[in-house]
Amino acid sequence: MKRKIMALVMTAIVATGMLAGCGGNSDSASTSGSSSASAASGSSDNSASAASGNSTAEELSGTITAAGSSALKPLADDAAEYFNELHPDVSITIDAGGSGQGLQQVADGTVDIGNSDVSAEEKLDASASEGLVDHQVCVITMAPIVNPDVYEAGVTDLTKDQLISIFTGETTNWSEVGGPDEDIILITRPESSGTRATFEKYALDGNSEASNASMETDDSGVLLQNVKDTKGAIGYVALSYLVDETEVATLAIDGVEPTLENTYNGTYPVWTYEHMYTNGEPNEVVQAFLDYIMSDEYGSRMEELGYGVSSKMTVTEH
């Protein structure tokens, strides 16, 4: 059962060259020069490449604060580690909390960057969003996930109609879709979540999910853990949360697996662009961080982390 979650993702990496940059949980991650060791140990070759490409870069110092999308947080955390190898005097703090919260915070001026799975106009009124500058950094794919007991009992693929019926609360037992005689437990995200907005738009064809208040979380990591721990559970997370995951199973939609390869070729529908918003044009330090995330040097890391490179998309709208 240990579903071929990232084996399929890695197919895209092997099959396609690493192109230039494309261009997430409620805990915050603060990164400075002393914290770069973990990134270096994870991929010393990539780190060396990044450093060599920026060895003459002007030294920077200052602070960067970011908040918002939990789906984008793993990428932001990783990029911060590598950026600090080049600029150890820059302190970067990244919180999650959901796209809506991140957008509101950057609009209010309480953070430098608002990370979001959706455009600012979808979460904020015109007066709040008009001063924000969009930095589109990558593509992200959302996958429906289930507790292993559901997958092992035979539910490996759902049609769009079945998925809609489950998440709107119409279908309440797995036996109705070929699974075990077991209650379906929805693990849901709050309305502020950009991941929820993306899933509702592209997986549920615009239908609103039936929120399970007792299991609702604004943290993708917590949602993933809840699906692992709860028999009969179903939820959804970005592929970035499934890179090294073996304890949950992904479901195909209408026979199409949620992989980067299927996202690139246009057959898998549940994806969106990821955004990093600033309030007006960013200062020198923030701009350097954004440039780094979208650079050739860092672009090679993105697919390893489960994110898609925008330039590899064969379809750009859906």
Side-chain angles (χ1 to χ4, degrees), residues 49-308:
S49 172
S52 65
N54 291 274
S55 58
T56 61
E58 179 183 350
E59 189 53 53
L60 296 173
S61 63
T63 62
I64 300 172
T65 55
S69 166
S70 63
L72 188 54
K73 191 174 189 295
L75 178 72
D77 286 342
D78 185 81
E81 295 273 11
Y82 280 95
F83 185 78
N84 268 138
E85 293 183 12
L86 305 174
H87 304 291
D89 294 329
V90 176
S91 175
I92 306 174
T93 301
I94 300 167
D95 292 323
S99 297
Q101 180 174 318
L103 289 169
Q104 188 61 59
Q105 285 183 268
V106 73
D108 292 342
T110 58
V111 297
D112 299 309
I113 299 172
N115 297 328
S116 180
D117 309 323
V118 297
S119 67
E121 292 76 16
E122 293 183 50
K123 290 290 182 182
L124 303 176
D125 59 36
S127 62
S129 64
E130 63 182 357
L132 300 185
V133 177
D134 185 6
H135 308 271
Q136 184 174 290
V137 294
C138 64
V139 170
I140 197 161
T141 300
M142 308 298 181
I145 57 173
V146 293
N147 185 275
D149 76 318
V150 175
Y151 185 82
E152 291 170 349
V155 181
T156 62
D157 182 7
L158 292 173
T159 67
K160 265 280 193 79
D161 287 343
Q162 288 173 327
L163 201 64
I164 292 168
S165 183
I166 286 170
F167 274 95
T168 57
E170 182 179 343
T171 297
T172 60
N173 192 289
W174 285 111
S175 64
E176 299 176 62
V177 291
D181 183 10
E182 183 174 65
D183 288 342
I184 295 173
I185 308 299
L186 297 179
I187 313 293
T188 59
R189 298 293 303 274
E191 291 186 1
S192 63
S193 166
T195 300
R196 171 173 170 165
T198 298
F199 194 77
E200 287 182 338
K201 184 174 183 178
Y202 299 116
L204 306 184
D205 288 346
N207 290 280
S208 296
E209 68 178 40
S211 181
N212 178 4
S214 66
M215 299 292 279
E216 185 174 282
T217 175
D218 64 2
D219 185 324
S220 291
V222 173
L223 185 147
L224 179 64
Q225 189 62 51
N226 287 343
V227 172
K228 290 183 191 180
D229 295 342
T230 309
K231 289 188 178 301
I234 184 171
Y236 47 87
V237 293
L239 290 188
S240 54
Y241 280 86
L242 301 171
V243 172
D244 298 314
E245 182 55 55
T246 60
E247 297 181 49
V248 298
T250 60
L251 299 181
I253 300 176
D254 289 325
V256 181
E257 300 284 353
T259 67
L260 286 183
E261 183 178 19
N262 289 336
T263 302
Y264 287 151
N265 66 32
T267 59
Y268 185 76
V270 193
W271 61 271
T272 191
Y273 292 104
E274 286 292 317
H275 312 265
M276 288 183 164
Y277 279 93
T278 56
N279 196 335
E281 294 300 328
N283 63 35
E284 179 186 23
V285 176
V286 174
Q287 184 65 63
F289 181 53
L290 293 170
D291 288 344
Y292 178 73
I293 291 175
M294 294 183 281
S295 69
D296 291 348
E297 290 81 11
Y298 187 71
S300 61
R301 281 284 292 164
M302 286 183 171
E303 288 179 321
E304 296 176 31
L305 298 172
Y307 297 87

Side-chain angles (χ1 to χ4, degrees), residues 34-58:
S34 63
S35 65
S36 62
S38 63
S41 63
S43 183
S44 58
D45 290 343
N46 285 332
S47 174
S49 172
S52 65
N54 291 274
S55 58
T56 61
E58 179 183 350

